[in-house]
Amino acid sequence: GKGGEEREAPAGSGLTFSSVGGGGRGFAMFARTGVLVLVPQWGQVRNMATLKDITRRLKSIKNIQKITQSMKMVAAAKYARAERELKPARVYGTGALALYEKAEIKAPEDQARHLIIGVSSDRGLCGGVHSNVAKNIRNQMQQLTSAGKEVKIATIGDKLRALLHRNYGSNILMMFKEVGRKPPTFGDASFIAAELLNSGYEFDKGAVVFNRFKSVISYNTQEQPVFSFDALASSENLSVYDDIDADVLRNYQEFSLVNVIYFGLKESTTSEQSARMTAMDSASKNASEIIDKLTLTYNRTRQAVITKELIEIISGAAAL
């Protein structure tokens, strides 16, 4: 056998001495000539290695399951808070958008400069939250650039920047990080809007792309329009509400931009936390299924090793 040796005993004894598994390991066996039993041990070594591998993998998956369960609990707590804060925040966005519709504000027909504001966060493990926003922006970029329009992108969240940087790195106007660590505030939206307005890029029309929260397991990607100062000034129906001079109109344009960004931040945060909670729940369930399968495999392999050892012992005893 492999790693074993076989030699004759003293003449006349009729016995053959077999040493299986060199290096001092294995066992010795005496058998009558013609009834030689050689039991290789590398099968046992292989099974023992398999058992160690399964044990190591079981331990690893159990540790991963603990992490996913903890992340699910944290996401559930953050989701509960985000959902409570979402309802009052929706008033800001819906109010600005309702005025756009009632006043019939439209961008100029010969618009050439566009601004796309994508809202995501810096954290992952939340399903397709970031990739859906990136996909929407890519589709808009293809349509607008093929029509000869100048397009700039402002990314809110590092995950979105990473998804768009490869193909549209030259189109990124600015990026905002440290998003998602804490619940977004109106001050955060004001800072983002101020940086956009002071960037020097005079856009004709813009859009805020974000994930609109629907339920714990559902959200959809939407885009809400934002308009430049010229678009507001050229609206004929806006004067119905009030006699607005240029300073008030510019202040309103800035305030409406902040409202829509704040609306998108709150909707996106709630969608992200609900998606992360769902994703971590699914990951925990998948880990449980893998643990059950590996436990079954481990028990079967261990039983096979024990059975094989019993057969070897019985065979050796029968050969004596």
Side-chain angles (χ1 to χ4, degrees), residues 82 85-86 89 183-185 261-271:
E85 297 177 352
L86 177 61
T185 62
I261 293 176
Y262 179 61
F263 173 60
L265 285 171
K266 283 295 187 182
E267 290 280 358
S268 180
T269 299
T270 310
S271 301

Side-chain angles (χ1 to χ4, degrees), residues 14 75 105 144 186:
I105 299 175
L144 294 173
F186 193 80

